[in-house]
């Protein structure tokens, strides 16, 4: 396991690279969303993948991986923000240069399908990365002020402290737990199993979220993680937003609460649900790899330090 390193904070005037490591992108939507970063005093450099198409991907695997490697290597780029998720990051994990990434630590930011890259970079480069709203999220009509504030913390580092002031939290298993935060999108976490990028949950706080998955599909994925020992190994579980995860194909269904109870609560680890992290508004950014404390008694998730160096 490589030693953990943090990227440096941003300063006004810094250049942020925008890349599309997964699905193809609406370029005009990206340009419009970029104006919010520019208003923060940042320069925006749009990657070539934003105008590429290879089937349902934003360019070939080689092109998308090469752009990420190039952005990490470029000293003028201080942060890399993913334009969107969708599908495709698992296809390029073996094409990234993790020695290069570790030698050039910088902010890497995204969620959803980007979960696979968070897992890979965390495991092989040891870099703290950010599970946070994609660039296209900044262009949404219902953009929440807290979603924008996530980005401002990269210029003005702060320590994440999530309480019920942000959203109601429900205790599924009482207790306190300490450990680095890992995880992200449930579907992507499951897709890492059996690969070199598989998440090691031992002693960690495991974060899970998803979107548009029917309960029976969530049941299958959670069952697989349970059998793989991922919940039993974890120090604690953070159940985040499961947007539009409702019965459709199978109208007779278990509730999400019943599924969580069977697969997660049965592990007996401190568990809180209700975090506005994932495909939701607001979407609170989380520094993956940073140590944190969760308490069901205080209804609290608190990191021990910022995700960036001052």
């Amino acid at each position: 396991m490589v030693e953990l390193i943090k990227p440096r904070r941003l300063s006004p005037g810094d250049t942020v690279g925008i890349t599309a490591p997964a699905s193809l992108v609406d370029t005009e939507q990206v340009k419009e969303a970029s104006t919010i970063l520019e208003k923060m005093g940042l320069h925006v450099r749009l990657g070539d993948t934003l105008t590429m198409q290879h089937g349902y991907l934003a360019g070939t695997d080689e092109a998308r991986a090469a752009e990420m490697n190039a952005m990490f290597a470029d000293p003028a780029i201080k942060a890399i923000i993913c334009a969107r998720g969708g599908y495709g990051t698992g296809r390029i994990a073996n094409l990234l240069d993790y020695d290069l990434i570790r030698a050039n630590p910088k902010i890497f930011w995204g969620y959803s399908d980007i979960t696979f890259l968070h897992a890979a970079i965390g495991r092989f480069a040891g870099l703290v990365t950010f599970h946070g709203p994609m660039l296209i999220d900044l262009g949404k009509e219902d953009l929440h002020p807290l979603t924008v504030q996530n980005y401002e913390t990269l210029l003005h580092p702060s320590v994440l402290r999530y309480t019920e002031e942000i959203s109601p939290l429900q205790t599924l298993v009482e207790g306190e737990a300490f450990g680095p935060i890992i995880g992200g999108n449930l579907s992507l976490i499951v897709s890492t199993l059996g690969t070199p990028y598989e998440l090691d949950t031992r002693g960690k706080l495991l974060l899970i979220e998803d979107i548009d998955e029917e309960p029976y599909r969530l049941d299958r994925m959670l069952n697989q993680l349970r059998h793989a020992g991922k919940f039993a190994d974890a120090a604690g579980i953070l159940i985040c937003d499961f947007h539009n995860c409702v019965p459709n194909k199978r109208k007779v269904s278990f509730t999400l609460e019943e599924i969580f109870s069977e697969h997660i609560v049965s592990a007996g680890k401190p568990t809180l649900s209700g975090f506005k992290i994932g495909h939701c508004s607001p979407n609170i950014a989380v520094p993956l790899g940073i140590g944190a404390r969760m308490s069901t008694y205080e209804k609290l998730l608190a990191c021990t330090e910022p995700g960036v160096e001052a």
Side-chain angles (χ1 to χ4, degrees):
M1 198 70 179
V2 293
E3 183 181 355
L4 189 73
I5 55 174
K6 297 197 296 185
R8 295 195 63 83
R9 63 179 289 182
L10 294 179
S11 298
D14 281 347
T15 297
V16 174
I18 310 299
T19 188
S23 293
L24 53 97
V25 174
D26 182 330
T27 307
E28 291 306 313
Q29 188 180 21
V30 168
K31 289 179 179 178
E32 182 178 347
S34 296
T35 61
I36 293 181
L37 298 182
E38 292 168 345
K39 290 176 182 177
M40 295 179 186
L42 300 170
H43 296 299
V44 175
R45 185 188 299 177
L46 302 181
D48 292 337
T49 56
L50 301 180
T51 57
M52 292 182 178
Q53 180 177 354
H54 179 64
Y56 38 69
L57 303 171
T60 64
D61 295 344
E62 291 75 15
R64 288 177 288 119
E67 182 164 278
M68 271 196 60
N69 286 330
M71 285 188 174
F72 270 105
D74 189 340
I77 293 178
K78 305 302 182 183
I80 301 170
I81 295 175
C82 298
R84 64 159 300 172
Y87 170 74
T89 61
R91 295 171 56 116
I92 68 172
N94 65 318
L95 300 176
L96 297 182
D97 187 335
Y98 297 102
D99 290 335
L100 169 71
I101 292 172
R102 183 168 179 81
N104 299 274
K106 56 187 66 175
I107 294 161
F108 179 72
W109 183 288
Y111 74 108
S112 195
D113 196 68
I114 311 305
T115 294
F116 206 105
L117 297 183
H118 288 312
I121 293 171
R123 190 175 187 92
F124 290 104
L127 177 64
V128 171
T129 59
F130 290 84
H131 184 284
M134 235 79 74
L135 185 69
I136 60 171
D137 291 330
L138 296 181
K140 293 180 177 178
E141 292 183 0
D142 63 344
L143 180 61
H144 196 285
L146 287 179
T147 301
V148 179
Q149 287 178 26
N150 288 312
Y151 282 91
E152 293 173 347
T153 63
L154 299 180
L155 289 154
H156 310 286
S158 62
V159 177
L160 173 66
R161 183 179 175 84
Y162 197 118
T163 69
E164 289 195 298
E165 291 183 5
I166 299 175
S167 67
L169 299 175
Q170 297 80 43
T171 298
L172 275 68
V173 179
E174 287 191 345
E176 290 190 340
F178 303 82
I181 304 174
I182 62 168
N185 183 267
L186 176 62
S187 304
L188 273 296
I189 294 172
V190 170
S191 75
T192 69
L193 295 178
T195 75
Y197 316 102
E198 181 172 333
L199 280 186
D200 180 0
T201 65
R202 289 175 294 182
K204 312 291 195 338
L205 302 182
L206 176 60
L207 175 159
I208 57 172
E209 66 87 31
D210 219 315
I211 182 173
D212 293 338
E213 296 286 359
E214 292 197 48
Y216 81 94
R217 292 174 60 87
L218 296 176
D219 189 343
R220 182 180 65 230
M221 290 185 279
L222 292 171
N223 181 60
Q224 188 171 355
L225 287 185
R226 177 170 62 88
H227 283 306
K230 298 305 178 181
F231 301 129
D233 286 346
I237 313 294
L238 309 170
I239 299 178
C240 303
D241 198 74
F242 280 77
H243 182 71
N244 196 37
C245 291
V246 296
N248 184 19
K249 182 178 179 180
R250 289 172 169 81
K251 297 297 184 182
V252 178
S253 174
F254 291 115
T255 65
L256 294 188
E257 290 75 15
E258 288 172 327
I259 296 170
F260 293 149
S261 177
E262 184 166 0
H263 297 299
I264 298 176
V265 172
S266 60
K269 300 303 175 76
T271 304
L272 275 173
S273 70
F275 292 97
K276 284 289 189 179
I277 298 169
H279 296 78
C280 52
S281 182
N283 180 1
I284 305 300
V286 177
L288 299 176
I290 291 294
R293 176 174 74 94
M294 64 170 290
S295 171
T296 67
Y297 310 115
E298 301 175 54
K299 298 289 183 68
L300 170 72
L301 172 66
C303 288
T304 58
E305 58 184 312
V308 293
E309 296 284 2

